[in-house]
Amino acid sequence: MNEGKLSVASKPGAPLPDLYGIFFEDLNHAADGGLYAEMVQNRSFEFTADDHTGYHATYAWTFSNLAEVAIATKTSLNANNIHYLAVGPVTETITIKNQGFNQGMYFQKNHDYRFSLFAAAQVPSTIQVYFEDTDQRPISPVSTLRIDKATWTKYEVSLTAGQSSAKGRLVVKVLKGATVNLDMVSLFPNQTFKHRRNGVRQDLGEALAKMHPKFMRFPGGCLVHDGTLDPHDRDSMYRWKNTIGPVEQRPTRRNKWGYNQTLGLGYYEYFQLAEDLKAKPLPVLPGGYDPHHQRAVPIDQLQPWIDDALDLIEFANGAITTKWGKKRAELGHPKPFHLEYLAIGNEEVGQAFFDRYPYFHQAIRQRYPDIKIINTSGPFASGSEFDRGWHSAKQYGSDFVDEHYYMSTDWFLANQHRYDHYDPTGPKVFLGEYASKANKWYNAVVEASYMIGLERNADKVGLACYAPLLANVDYVNWDPVLIFFNQQQVTPTVNYYVQQLFMTYQGTHNVAYTISGLAKPTVSDDQPITGEFGFEGDRTVVNYQNVQLTDHISGEQQHFANGKLHGQARQLIGATASTDYTVAFDATKISGRPDKGFHFVFGQVNPSDYLLWILGGWENQDSIINQRGAHQMESVWDQCLWTMVQGQQYHFEIHINQRQISTFIDGQPFNQVTIKPTVIEPLYSNLTFDTVQQQYFLKLVNVTAKPVSLTISDTPFVGATLHRLVGAPTSQNQIGAANQLKLEDVAVNGPTVEIQPYSVNVLSSQPKSREALN
C-alpha cells in the first residue's frame, strides 16, 4: 500500500470566494420539457418546421374532429403570439389532448395542478378540463369553464390528480354549440421549486440546491450568440429583453439546439432561481457577433447592444426609481438581485468580436465600475483564438477570461499543472465549460483530480463550472451532463456527486500543507510521436499530391503517390519511426460540403490511437491538432483559424520533433503545440479552511487501482469525518436505477485514514478546530 504523512502549516493562502458554480443552457430540452415546470408542449401553437423538422402548429396536440378546428391568425392574442386554435362551430363535442413531453405528463396522486388558457368566444361556449392516464381513463375530476367574453381573457382553474400516471394527457373538451378561440393553454404543478408560479420543477430545483453552487451562469452557451442581428427575428441571438414580462407576450424562438424555445424561463426567472439557490447570478450577453455564421453588427450600430448590457445591470441592481429597476419591481421583486458578474460573449473566435468587445467593456466600466466583466477565449484550450481572447482581456483589463474545453481523461491528467504558471496579477480564469466526455466514474474521478488543481490555483482561477448541466433522456443533443431526467424521474450522474462534494466542502481559503512519503508519479504515453500517416476525408472530395516525408535525423526523403479522398474514406500511405520528421504535401478541395475540409492522420499506433491535423473542421474555420485515444475519446490540443477555399491548391507542412508539433500552410506558421504525456499521481490533494464553519477540509482524490494510507496524527483531523465517494471505474448511473456509487461518511478515530482506489474524498475536521489562521 502506498503511504504518506500529512503536515499542516496553518498558513493562510488564496481565498476561494465563488469558485464552484453551475452552468445552465437550454440544450437537451433543459428548459422547455425540463427545468421549466410547464407541462404542456406547444402551449401557444407557435411551433414551426423552422424550429425542428416535423414541427407544425398543432404539434403535440390531437383532435377528435379536425374538420372543426383550425390554426388562425386573424385576431391574434398579441403581436408576439400570432397563432391560435379556432374551434367551431362545434356540432358534436370535440376532444383536444396534449401529450406533454417525453411519453406523457407525470401526474401525482393528490397533487394539485393549475390549468389556464386564454380564450375568446364568438358565442358563449363551454369547455371541460381533466386529466387521463395512458388507458384514456379520467384520473381527475372534470372542471367546467364558461367562456362568455368576446375579447381575449385568461381563465384559470385548479385540478387535483386522483391517481398517479407517468404517461398522462391533458384533456380539453369543447362542448357542442361552441365557437371559441384558444391560446396559451398551460398546465403547471402547484408544487414548484420555492412555489414560484412560473417557476421550475421541484425535483430538479432541489437537485440543484443540494449542490450548493456559489454562482449560476445562464442562459448559455452557444444559444446566446447563435442567430441573426434583429431581435424580432425568430432565430435572433438571445436578447434578454424579449424574455421578461407576461409569458403570453414573450416571442417564441428557434433554439440553436434544434427545437422551440418558449422563453417562459426568462431572465427574471433565472435571477429568481439563482436567488433561490443562494447562488450569484452570472448572465452571458451576446457581443454583437455570431461566430457560427459570421454575422456582425456594424460598430456604428452597436449602441443598442451596449444599452442591453447597461440596462440589464440596472434591471438587476437598480433602484425602483430607475427605468429598469422599476420594471423589476413591477414583476414582483423590488429588492435588487445583487448582480456582480457579467459575461460578454461566449466561445468567441475571430477578430470581429474582439473589435466590438472594448465598446461593451468601456461602457460598463464607466457606469458600473464594480461589475466584474468576463471576456472570452473561445472553445479551445490553446491556439490563435485562445491567445486572441487573453490578449484582449489583458489589453482592456477584463476581470475574468472564460475558458472552455471538453477533453479526454488523459488530457486532464496531463494538464494537472495548467494553471500553476498563470499570472496571479492578471485577469482570473473563469473555467466556464469543461468535462471529460463521459458519465463514467473514472471520468468523474479524473475531473475531481483536475478540480484539485483549480482549487490549488485559486489566486488565478476564480470561477469554474462543469457543462452541460441537464439533459432530458428523450431529447439528448449533448452529453455528458450532470443530471439526467424524464417527465417523472431525476437521476444525477456520478459526475454530479463529485461537483456536489467539492461545492459542499469548498472552504473559504487555501491552507499550506505537505504530504510526504508518497510514491513517485507514473508516466505513460511519453514516447515520440511515430507510426503510420495518411489522409482522411471529411465529407468532401480532395486531391492530394507531392507528398514527401523528410527524416531530419537521417536526412532521407520519401515520396508518395498522389491520391483522391471521397467522403470520409481513410488512406494510410506510409509510416515512420523517426523522432524528428516533416511531412509536406499539396491539397485541393474539389467538391463536397462547404463547411468541411479534410484530415491528415499521423502518429497512428493502432486504429484507435492516433492524431489528426484537422483542416477545415467545424464550419470550415479551423486548423486543429486533435488526439484520439481509447474509446474514441478525443482532445483538441491546439486550434487556429483557417478556411479551405474550394478549387484553391494549398501547400501544407507538419513537423514532428519528439512530441512537439508545428504546422505550416503556404509557408505561414499555424499550430505550435507539445503533446504532454499522461502523468498519474498516487494522490491528488488540497487543503482549505472555512472561516464561517471553522473547519478544515482536505480533499483527497485517488485515480489509481491502489489504496493510499495517510497518517493524520498531530493534525486538525484527529477525530475527523471522511466523506467518501467510491465506485467501479466504469460505473454510471442510469435513469430510474439505483445510484452506482457508495456515498459514505466515515468517522476517523485512528492516526491513519485509507484512501480507497478510484475514490473522491473530503476529510473534514471537527468544527471550531481553527488554529492560528491569521
Side-chain angles (χ1 to χ4, degrees):
M1 179 183 291
N2 200 345
E3 297 181 357
K5 178 176 175 56
L6 173 68
S7 299
V8 178
S10 295
K11 181 180 179 181
L16 297 81
D18 299 322
L19 182 56
Y20 298 126
I22 57 176
F23 163 48
F24 178 85
E25 180 173 12
D26 186 8
L27 76 163
N28 304 319
H29 273 274
D32 295 297
L35 187 63
Y36 187 41
E38 173 65 78
M39 298 172 69
V40 175
Q41 184 172 193
N42 189 19
R43 65 185 177 186
S44 59
F45 306 101
E46 297 294 334
F47 277 30
T48 77
D50 293 336
D51 305 329
H52 180 80
T53 302
Y55 275 4
H56 49 82
T58 58
Y59 185 86
W61 294 93
T62 60
F63 309 93
S64 63
N65 184 356
L66 289 172
E68 294 181 357
V69 298
I71 295 297
T73 59
K74 185 177 181 181
T75 56
S76 300
L77 182 60
N78 56 61
N80 288 330
N81 192 346
I82 61 174
H83 297 93
Y84 58 91
L85 186 70
V87 185
V90 178
T91 58
E92 294 292 338
T93 295
I94 295 176
T95 301
I96 303 169
K97 299 181 182 182
N98 188 271
Q99 70 180 41
F101 297 86
N102 300 87
Q103 295 80 40
M105 297 180 180
Y106 177 45
F107 296 114
Q108 292 180 268
K109 183 178 179 179
N110 296 329
H111 281 229
D112 297 328
Y113 299 83
R114 187 179 71 256
F115 171 83
S116 65
L117 84 168
F118 281 79
Q122 296 184 34
V123 299
S125 303
T126 301
I127 67 171
Q128 294 178 337
V129 185
Y130 61 93
F131 309 146
E132 68 177 24
D133 65 13
T134 187
D135 296 319
Q136 301 183 30
R137 295 174 300 197
I139 58 170
S140 76
V142 176
S143 289
T144 301
L145 290 172
R146 183 66 173 171
I147 313 298
D148 53 10
K149 294 184 179 179
T151 56
W152 286 107
T153 304
K154 186 175 182 179
Y155 297 82
E156 185 172 306
V157 66
S158 179
L159 295 95
T160 302
Q163 297 292 331
S164 294
S165 176
K167 299 179 180 180
R169 298 288 189 270
L170 170 67
V171 182
V172 178
K173 287 193 172 185
V174 183
L175 302 190
K176 181 178 179 179
T179 302
V180 64
N181 298 331
L182 308 177
D183 206 350
M184 286 297 294
V185 184
S186 173
L187 185 67
F188 267 80
N190 277 9
Q191 293 183 359
T192 59
F193 182 60
K194 301 296 183 180
H195 308 291
R196 304 289 191 184
R197 276 183 65 88
N198 190 51
V200 305
R201 270 176 55 169
Q202 185 177 34
D203 52 359
L204 285 170
E206 289 175 350
L208 299 182
K210 288 176 181 178
M211 294 180 73
H212 306 291
K214 294 292 192 296
F215 67 89
M216 186 180 86
R217 177 180 183 242
F218 63 88
C222 290
L223 177 148
V224 168
H225 64 190
D226 183 282
T228 66
L229 308 180
D230 188 339
H232 303 294
D233 288 347
R234 188 181 192 88
D235 61 343
S236 71
M237 294 188 206
Y238 196 101
R239 310 298 290 273
W240 76 268
K241 291 175 182 175
N242 286 339
T243 77
I244 63 172
V247 291
E248 69 272 11
Q249 295 178 15
R250 302 180 192 181
T252 189
R253 73 186 295 268
R254 177 195 67 84
N255 185 303
K256 180 266 185 305
W257 299 105
Y259 53 91
N260 180 276
Q261 188 174 24
T262 66
L263 299 182
L265 194 62
Y267 256 70
Y268 180 69
E269 289 78 20
Y270 286 130
F271 277 116
Q272 278 189 323
L273 177 59
E275 183 176 74
D276 290 341
L277 295 173
K278 299 179 182 178
K280 295 180 180 180
L282 197 162
V284 183
L285 293 179
Y289 179 62
D290 173 0
H292 301 171
H293 305 94
Q294 288 81 58
R295 302 180 179 117
V297 179
I299 289 178
D300 62 0
Q301 299 174 29
L302 202 57
Q303 192 58 47
W305 298 72
I306 298 169
D307 290 342
D308 275 358
L310 299 174
D311 293 344
L312 178 63
I313 299 170
E314 184 175 286
F315 175 76
N317 294 351
I320 60 174
T321 54
T322 65
K323 175 183 176 181
W324 290 100
K326 180 182 178 182
K327 181 67 175 177
R328 182 193 68 244
E330 290 171 350
L331 294 175
H333 201 285
K335 293 182 179 180
F337 284 116
H338 304 292
L339 178 67
E340 295 181 22
Y341 302 104
L342 181 61
I344 304 299
N346 165 75
E347 290 188 355
E348 305 298 340
V349 297
Q351 187 58 39
F353 170 81
F354 295 101
D355 287 341
R356 287 155 179 75
Y357 172 83
Y359 294 90
F360 290 87
H361 182 100
Q362 291 162 6
I364 296 168
R365 192 66 90 211
Q366 181 176 0
R367 188 176 301 182
Y368 299 104
D370 293 333
I371 291 292
K372 297 179 177 66
I373 307 172
I374 303 171
N375 206 326
T376 170
S377 61
F380 305 103
S382 172
S384 68
E385 301 316 291
F386 178 86
D387 293 341
R388 195 194 305 267
W390 270 97
H391 175 77
S392 170
K394 292 176 180 178
Q395 180 179 3
Y396 295 106
S398 305
D399 298 286
F400 290 86
V401 179
D402 190 5
E403 295 188 359
H404 295 181
Y405 41 80
Y406 299 89
M407 303 291 196
S408 70
T409 50
D410 283 352
W411 186 94
F412 282 102
L413 291 169
N415 286 274
Q416 289 283 339
H417 298 280
R418 172 181 176 88
Y419 297 112
D420 289 4
H421 305 295
Y422 272 49
D423 181 1
T425 66
K428 282 194 171 186
V429 173
F430 171 28
L431 183 51
E433 297 183 28
Y434 73 98
S436 67
K437 297 197 170 183
N439 281 132
K440 297 180 179 179
W441 180 235
Y442 182 71
N443 295 76
V445 175
V446 170
E447 288 162 1
S449 73
Y450 194 75
M451 293 169 72
I452 292 286
L454 304 180
E455 196 170 284
R456 187 181 65 244
N457 286 288
D459 56 335
K460 304 137 190 168
V461 181
L463 306 164
C465 50
Y466 182 104
L469 180 62
L470 300 171
N472 186 318
V473 292
D474 292 329
Y475 308 97
V476 177
N477 303 103
W478 183 300
D479 62 2
V481 299
L482 286 184
I483 302 170
F484 284 107
F485 64 89
N486 57 21
Q487 76 275 21
Q488 178 186 11
Q489 299 161 312
V490 172
T491 299
T493 64
V494 293
N495 313 67
Y496 167 96
Y497 291 100
V498 166
Q499 297 290 325
Q500 181 189 48
L501 191 71
F502 272 62
M503 290 181 197
T504 302
Y505 301 104
Q506 176 183 296
T508 59
H509 291 79
N510 277 326
V511 177
Y513 74 103
T514 59
I515 295 180
S516 58
L518 293 174
K520 293 182 179 180
T522 59
V523 180
S524 64
D525 193 28
D526 60 344
Q527 298 302 304
I529 297 171
T530 61
E532 293 183 282
F533 61 86
F535 299 89
E536 182 178 83
D538 194 8
R539 288 157 283 189
T540 57
V541 177
V542 173
N543 287 337
Y544 62 85
Q545 58 193 15
N546 303 321
V547 184
Q548 176 179 289
L549 168 69
T550 301
D551 185 332
H552 297 297
I553 296 175
S554 68
E556 294 180 358
Q557 290 187 337
Q558 289 180 265
H559 299 272
F560 300 86
N562 300 340
K564 177 178 285 190
L565 295 169
H566 294 270
Q568 294 178 279
R570 169 178 282 214
Q571 300 173 9
L572 297 178
I573 62 172
T576 181
S578 176
T579 60
D580 188 358
Y581 59 96
T582 295
V583 179
F585 56 92
D586 298 328
T588 306
K589 178 178 174 180
I590 305 303
S591 61
R593 284 182 49 164
D595 61 337
K596 297 294 180 182
F598 72 106
H599 306 158
F600 177 73
V601 184
F602 64 103
Q604 176 160 316
V605 178
N606 59 59
S608 63
D609 187 354
Y610 56 91
L611 290 101
L612 292 175
W613 183 10
I614 298 176
L615 292 154
W618 186 78
E619 298 288 351
N620 193 12
Q621 296 189 71
D622 300 317
S623 170
I624 282 175
I625 300 300
N626 181 286
Q627 184 181 33
R628 297 188 181 178
H631 312 296
Q632 290 299 298
M633 274 195 193
E634 59 182 280
S635 299
V636 172
W637 282 85
D638 196 76
Q639 176 269 351
C640 297
L641 272 188
W642 180 76
T643 297
M644 189 172 199
V645 177
Q646 184 168 310
Q648 180 175 333
Q649 179 173 294
Y650 298 91
H651 180 69
F652 302 92
E653 293 184 16
I654 181 168
H655 178 208
I656 294 97
N657 183 1
Q658 298 290 326
R659 298 181 67 81
Q660 185 174 353
I661 300 168
S662 304
T663 69
F664 304 84
I665 303 175
D666 289 338
Q668 298 298 312
F670 276 77
N671 309 97
Q672 306 284 330
V673 66
T674 298
I675 308 300
K676 297 177 181 178
T678 302
V679 179
I680 300 179
E681 300 279 353
L683 191 66
Y684 298 90
S685 62
N686 190 59
L687 177 62
T688 64
F689 184 81
D690 193 297
T691 58
V692 177
Q693 301 183 53
Q694 296 286 290
Q695 284 182 284
Y696 287 96
F697 300 131
L698 178 64
K699 297 183 181 70
L700 301 160
V701 178
N702 185 354
V703 305
T704 76
K706 297 179 180 180
V708 177
S709 178
L710 183 64
T711 300
I712 58 171
S713 55
D714 301 320
T715 73
F717 294 103
V718 176
T721 300
L722 182 68
H723 311 280
R724 179 165 59 204
L725 305 175
V726 65
T730 58
S731 296
Q732 54 186 326
N733 287 346
Q734 304 289 343
I735 191 79
N739 189 357
Q740 298 301 296
L741 298 181
K742 287 184 179 179
L743 286 66
E744 303 172 315
D745 289 340
V746 181
V748 180
N749 297 314
T752 63
V753 61
E754 181 177 312
I755 309 306
Q756 294 186 7
Y758 304 115
S759 67
V760 180
N761 311 264
V762 174
L763 193 61
S764 63
S765 68
Q766 294 182 1
K768 299 182 180 180
S769 64
R770 184 179 187 181
E771 298 175 16
L773 188 67
N774 298 312

